[in-house]
Amino acid sequence: LDEAKDTYLKGPGGNRDPRAIVGLTDIYRKQKNFDELFSVLMRGMQILPQPDEDEELPASLDEDSRRLIEQFRAAVKAVTTDMETMAGLVSYARGLQKTDPPKLEFLPAYLTGKLCIDADRTDDAVEFYKLAISMQNNPPGQLYREISAHLLDKDKYQEAIEILDEAIQHPTLEQQKWM
């Protein structure tokens, strides 16, 4: 694993190359290196399109890009199905938030929430979605919709109602109340 990691890191683009991101995700997961895994996952989730599993990839993508996105999707699934890895990532993200000043920014908080949804860690997902929402003066209505939809899927109706009530009361979401 160390030799493979060195090969990825010494290649063109280093840890910013999408191919390296895919490979490093698997390596860091297997090594239980949660800080590096968190970093590479956040980078990958930002630069590699992540449609839902049932969504088709855009037809305009070339075969190499399709394969790379599928490989990253599989690497993310391996992360979200590994309970120990998810516990390590959640713990690492919480640690970032507890520093003074907090080092967990909006996008990583949101993406951690999404990973928690995929891992069926509902309480953690709610925590990170609420954190992401609190970091925005004008939070996107999408955040409220995503976490409330997950809560409804898990039959946690009261929690979903509370989140949707908060969204309805938010002054910047006036135009989205109907949703």
Side-chain angles (χ1 to χ4, degrees):
L1 291 175
D2 287 333
E3 288 178 36
K5 178 175 70 172
D6 288 342
T7 300
Y8 282 124
L9 294 175
K10 290 177 183 173
N15 66 357
R16 300 217 176 272
D17 180 271
R19 285 168 187 76
I21 288 171
V22 171
L24 289 169
T25 298
D26 281 332
I27 290 169
Y28 293 141
R29 177 182 58 82
K30 290 174 183 172
Q31 291 180 330
K32 304 298 182 196
N33 186 340
F34 302 122
D35 58 336
E36 292 294 338
L37 177 59
F38 185 84
S39 177
V40 79
L41 271 173
M42 295 302 119
R43 197 172 313 113
M45 291 173 78
Q46 290 176 55
I47 66 171
L48 292 165
Q50 289 300 295
D52 292 331
E53 283 187 37
D54 56 348
E55 278 184 68
E56 288 279 324
L57 292 172
S60 60
L61 286 176
D62 61 271
E63 187 57 36
D64 192 40
S65 296
R66 286 176 176 281
R67 193 172 325 110
L68 190 60
I69 291 167
E70 290 297 331
Q71 289 171 339
F72 186 67
R73 186 186 279 174
V76 170
K77 186 166 185 79
V79 165
T80 59
T81 57
D82 182 334
M83 290 178 12
E84 182 183 356
T85 297
M86 280 304 299
L89 286 175
V90 166
S91 177
Y92 180 76
R94 284 186 181 128
L96 289 175
Q97 182 56 26
K98 290 180 182 174
T99 61
D100 188 26
K103 294 180 182 172
L104 188 65
E105 296 175 354
F106 165 74
L107 192 56
Y110 167 62
L111 294 175
T112 301
K114 287 185 74 71
L115 287 171
C116 288
I117 284 176
D118 291 345
D120 203 21
R121 295 176 64 109
T122 300
D123 292 340
D124 295 328
V126 169
E127 173 187 345
F128 285 102
Y129 267 84
K130 284 184 175 182
L131 179 60
I133 288 167
S134 75
M135 293 175 165
Q136 300 289 296
N137 290 329
N138 302 317
Q142 172 187 346
L143 281 103
Y144 291 102
R145 288 190 302 274
E146 286 178 9
I147 192 60
S148 61
H150 175 70
L151 289 168
L152 290 172
D153 288 345
K154 297 298 174 188
D155 298 332
K156 295 191 174 217
Y157 302 115
Q158 188 57 44
E159 287 182 67
I161 288 169
E162 290 169 11
I163 293 207
L164 291 171
D165 279 344
E166 181 183 324
I168 288 171
Q169 301 303 319
H170 203 288
T172 62
L173 297 174
E174 185 68 33
Q175 299 296 319
Q176 298 178 40
K177 278 187 178 181
W178 65 274
M179 286 190 232

